[in-house]
Amino acid sequence: MSVTAPSGFRAAGVSAGIKAGGERDVAIVINDGPSRAAAAVFTRNRVKAAPVLWSEQVVKGGRVRAVILNSGGANACTGAPGFQDTHATAERVADALDDSAGEIVVASTGLIGERLPMPELLAGVDAAVASAARDGGIDAADAIRTTDTVAKISFRRGPGYTIGGMAKGAGMLSPALATMLSVITTDAELTSEQCDRLLRAATARTFERVDADGCLSTNDTVVLMAGGASGTAPDEEEFEALLTEVCDDLARQLIADAEGASKAIAVEVVGAASEDDALTVARAIARNNLFKCAMYGEDPNWGRILGAVGTTDAAFEPDRLNVAINGVWVCRQGAVGDDRSKVDLRPRDVTVTVDLTAGSAAATVWTTDLTTEYVHENSAYSS
C-alpha cells in the first residue's frame, strides 16, 4: 500500500541496467485521473540537477500525468546535455502514454557529475510504462533506492479518499526537504492551488525538519498528485492533517535508515519565544558534531547541548535553561540537574528536550549520531 493505494494510480519499478548490480532503477507513477491537479516542492540548493530545473517548469502548469524516476545517477552538474537527457526522458514517457511531455515530472538520484546512460534509461522507461499496474507501488519504491537499505512507503485513509506515498533517502539529510525523492498520491478532489498550499504546509513540519548531517542535495523533489477518482472533495484541515501524517511517517523512515547511524534522535525545543527560535536551537543541536559524537558514545554530555544552544540568537537566559535526555533532567536552571548516570542511551531512539523557558512555542528536529560507519560509507566511494 504505497502510491497505488489511492484509486486511479498505477506504478512500476524495473531494472534498466543503470545500476551495475542489476537492481531495479527506474520507477514510474501514473495518474489516470480524472483530474491531474498537482504541486511539488524542490531543493533550495542553488546548484540544481537537470530534472529539478525541468520539473519546476512542469508543475507551474498545475497538471501532472506521470512522474518518472531513476536511481543510479543524479543527472546533476551535467550542463545542457544533461537537460536534454531529461527532456528526452519526459518525451519518451509522453509518447508511451500518448500525452504531453509538459505534464511529465522527472526525478533522478545518484552520483553527481555523470551523464545518464540514455539507451538503457529510455528502454527502462518503455518497460516501466508497459508494466505499470495497481500493485506496482512496492516495486516503484524499491527502484528509487540508492544507499537506502529498505523501501519507504506510507498511506492513510480519510473519509472517502486515500493518500499514499513513497520516498527515498538515507544520506545527505538536511533541511529544505532532506536529501530525498518522494511521490505522494491521492484520489481526493483538489485543485492545483490546494495541492500547493497543503503540500508546503505538510513538508514544512516534516521533511524540512530532518537534519542528519547538514548536507543539502541538488535533487530534492516532493510531488503531490491529486487524481480525483474518489469523487470526494475533502475538508482541507482534515486532509492537511492526514497528508502531514504521511510525510511525517516517511520522514521518520528516512532518519531510521540514515547512513551508518546507530541512533535516531529527536531534538525537542520547548518554551521558546517563537517557533523560529525553537527551530534555530533544534537545528544548532542537531548539526553539532560534538553532541552527535557524544550520542554515538552513549555519553549524556549535556554541556555540549548547552554549548550548541549558546551559538544561536534565540531569546533565552543561560541560567534558565533546562535539558532532559531520555526523560532525565540532567540540567536545571543552566546548571547540574539529576544524576546523569540515570540516562540510558543504549536504545536506538533518543529524545533530547531543551526548555528555553522564554515562551510557549516548540519545534522538533530529527537527527542521528555521528558514527565511524557514516564516515566510512561517505569516504570509501563516491556518493
Side-chain angles (χ1 to χ4, degrees):
M1 303 300 287
S2 175
V3 289
T4 53
S7 301
F9 289 91
R10 294 176 288 142
V14 302
S15 174
I18 302 172
K19 291 179 179 175
E23 301 96 335
R24 294 185 182 95
D25 48 24
V26 173
I28 194 165
V29 182
I30 301 170
N31 176 12
D32 288 325
S35 172
R36 298 185 183 182
V41 287
F42 301 94
T43 181
R44 295 195 186 111
N45 197 319
R46 291 174 62 193
V47 178
K48 297 181 179 181
V52 171
L53 296 173
W54 169 269
S55 298
E56 284 179 330
Q57 296 304 310
V58 169
V59 298
K60 285 182 179 179
R63 290 167 55 89
V64 173
R65 174 68 199 283
V67 182
I68 184 74
L69 313 94
N70 77 270
S71 55
N75 194 9
C77 305
T78 49
F83 190 83
Q84 292 167 4
D85 291 343
T86 295
H87 190 179
T89 302
E91 290 282 3
R92 190 66 161 248
V93 175
D95 288 346
L97 294 176
D98 192 23
D99 218 301
S100 167
E103 295 188 9
I104 308 298
V105 165
V106 181
S108 301
T109 181
L111 184 66
I112 293 171
E114 292 186 359
R115 295 275 302 277
L116 291 170
M118 291 306 292
E120 289 85 351
L121 175 56
L122 296 179
V125 168
D126 294 340
V129 173
S131 60
R134 284 300 310 281
D135 61 356
I138 300 298
D139 287 349
D142 179 63
I144 61 177
R145 294 190 300 125
T146 49
T147 57
D148 305 64
T149 63
V150 295
K152 300 168 176 67
I153 62 173
S154 183
F155 78 99
R156 294 291 188 276
R157 297 201 188 281
Y161 63 90
T162 302
I163 304 171
M166 68 178 187
K168 67 79 52 182
M172 292 178 69
L173 299 179
S174 182
L177 303 186
T179 295
M180 56 175 297
L181 303 180
S182 181
V183 179
I184 302 169
T185 60
T186 182
D187 52 15
E189 288 186 339
L190 297 170
T191 65
S192 60
E193 291 78 13
Q194 286 177 302
C195 287
D196 184 72
R197 182 170 61 253
L198 295 168
L199 180 63
R200 291 182 185 279
T203 56
R205 294 184 174 275
T206 56
F207 292 130
E208 293 197 11
R209 296 191 182 182
V210 171
D211 197 343
D213 53 21
C215 298
L216 179 59
S217 171
T218 55
N219 289 62
D220 301 339
T221 301
V222 181
V223 183
L224 170 63
M225 294 190 287
S230 71
T232 299
D235 174 80
E236 274 201 26
E237 184 175 347
E238 178 184 69
F239 185 91
E240 181 181 323
L242 289 174
L243 178 61
T244 301
E245 286 185 20
V246 170
C247 293
D248 183 69
D249 186 5
L250 292 171
R252 290 172 184 266
Q253 290 180 53
L254 299 182
I255 279 291
D257 194 31
E259 288 176 347
S262 69
K263 306 292 184 188
I265 307 166
V267 181
E268 302 175 340
V269 177
V270 300
S274 67
E275 187 174 7
D276 284 346
D277 272 8
L279 275 173
T280 296
V281 171
R283 292 201 196 286
I285 298 168
R287 293 178 175 181
N288 187 282
N289 284 339
L290 288 176
F291 161 72
K292 292 158 76 70
C293 287
M295 294 299 98
Y296 175 54
E298 299 181 353
D299 175 14
N301 191 334
W302 56 270
R304 294 181 177 179
I305 298 171
L306 258 61
V309 175
T311 66
T312 73
D313 60 0
F316 68 85
E317 294 298 329
D319 60 358
R320 297 186 66 191
L321 296 173
N322 304 304
V323 176
I325 303 176
N326 279 352
V328 180
W329 290 93
V330 290
C331 171
R332 296 180 185 274
Q333 301 299 302
V336 176
D338 297 345
D339 186 349
R340 53 180 276 167
S341 67
K342 296 179 181 179
V343 179
D344 183 5
L345 284 173
R346 290 172 296 177
R348 180 178 179 87
D349 292 330
V350 175
T351 300
V352 172
T353 306
V354 175
D355 183 1
L356 300 180
T357 62
S360 59
T364 300
V365 168
W366 293 273
T367 190
T368 59
D369 53 347
L370 180 55
T371 68
T372 55
E373 291 81 1
Y374 173 87
V375 174
H376 174 74
E377 188 160 346
N378 286 280
S379 60
Y381 61 90
S382 294
S383 63

